Amino acid sequence: MQPDLVIVQENHNKAFIDALKDTGLKVMVTKVPTNLDMVQKRIALIARAVGEEERGKQIINDMDKKLAVVQSKVGKIPEEKRKIAIAYSLMGAFGSKNGLFHDICIRSGLRNGAAIAGLKRGEHLSKEKIVSTDPDLFIFPRYSATKKGDVDKLREDVLNDQSLQTVKAVKNKSYFIIADRYRYSASQYMADAILFMSEQAYPELYSDVNAGK
């Protein structure tokens, strides 16, 4: 295909990256974003690389407008009154404090229950820790790449788990479903993810914003 530019993350196979460079292709190696600042810096970097610096600035500006809306709604909520959320994938609860999803939670006005419980990357969160964290709401995936019905079964299993019946999220049937493009959002869609999650967690704060939808 003879691409003008190949973009890969630094955690990609080094031998593959070296092989691309050896063919004479122009290769850009980017860091793996773990927060909003890194995402926006990568957007600016790629925009410069393809000669669209102004377009990159516009994308970042559009993100900042959405983030400003969120901040205007949840910015004054005291830390201790912010809702605790625990997010699930088919592998279980996720969201270590060093991951991108943690930053999405914080900027949405939520407290990341997995981080509060001390979840580390590559580990699983025990039911005992979920109970002790007592999340206000759960976040479930919308899509499964394995087979139809997997995400529905996950949701039913968690909400019907007898060991979780004392958790506020279960008692109040408080949860929402999120698309993968928001759960793993290392692009301009991170701002959309933050706005979406904040709207779902605090719908009463966004009644004026959503009135025209």
Side-chain angles (χ1 to χ4, degrees):
M1 294 178 66
Q2 290 299 308
D4 299 294
L5 178 67
V6 179
I7 304 169
V8 294
Q9 292 191 154
E10 62 183 0
N11 62 340
H12 208 96
N13 183 281
K14 185 178 182 300
F16 175 71
I17 294 174
D18 290 341
L20 288 174
K21 292 179 178 178
D22 289 343
T23 65
L25 291 173
K26 182 179 179 182
V27 179
M28 172 183 287
V29 181
T30 67
K31 293 184 178 296
V32 180
T34 56
N35 57 53
L36 175 68
D37 183 60
M38 292 179 71
V39 168
Q40 292 189 325
K41 284 182 177 178
R42 185 164 74 167
I43 290 171
L45 182 67
I46 293 172
R48 285 196 298 272
V50 298
E52 294 286 354
E53 192 165 356
E54 287 305 312
R55 180 59 181 145
K57 289 179 181 178
Q58 182 59 55
I59 290 173
I60 293 171
N61 185 54
D62 289 343
M63 291 178 70
D64 288 340
K65 288 179 181 178
K66 293 170 184 175
L67 296 169
V69 170
V70 175
Q71 182 61 23
S72 72
K73 300 297 182 182
V74 302
K76 293 183 180 179
I77 302 177
E79 176 69 19
E80 67 276 9
K81 292 187 178 298
R82 295 190 173 202
K83 293 181 179 180
I84 297 175
I86 286 185
Y88 279 88
S89 72
L90 290 178
M91 300 297 292
F94 71 94
S96 70
K97 68 177 182 179
N98 296 318
L100 187 61
F101 189 80
H102 177 71
D103 200 40
I104 292 174
C105 273
I106 300 304
R107 293 179 184 276
S108 300
L110 293 165
R111 285 181 285 168
N112 178 13
I116 292 172
L119 179 68
K120 292 181 172 56
R121 189 182 296 274
E123 294 183 352
H124 295 286
L125 198 62
S126 69
K127 292 179 182 179
E128 290 79 10
K129 286 192 174 182
I130 293 174
V131 171
S132 65
T133 303
D134 194 17
D136 297 283
L137 58 89
F138 288 135
I139 303 172
F140 294 110
R142 175 176 295 169
Y143 171 75
S144 167
T146 53
K147 67 178 182 179
K148 187 176 181 180
D150 276 0
V151 291
D152 298 320
K153 185 177 185 303
L154 166 69
R155 185 168 65 252
E156 291 171 3
D157 287 349
V158 172
L159 297 177
N160 294 320
D161 191 321
Q162 289 304 305
S163 64
L164 299 179
Q165 294 306 302
T166 61
V167 171
K168 288 196 287 287
V170 175
K171 289 193 294 185
N172 300 325
K173 293 183 171 56
S174 181
Y175 66 88
F176 63 85
I177 297 170
I178 192 169
D180 279 359
R181 68 180 181 276
Y182 291 161
R183 279 199 304 145
Y184 305 112
S185 189
S187 69
Q188 67 270 24
Y189 292 116
M190 184 176 180
D192 297 287
I194 292 167
L195 178 57
F196 175 80
M197 284 180 48
S198 191
E199 287 177 325
Q200 295 297 307
Y202 304 102
E204 70 281 1
L205 300 180
Y206 289 87
S207 57
D208 58 327
V209 176
N210 296 319
K213 289 186 178 180

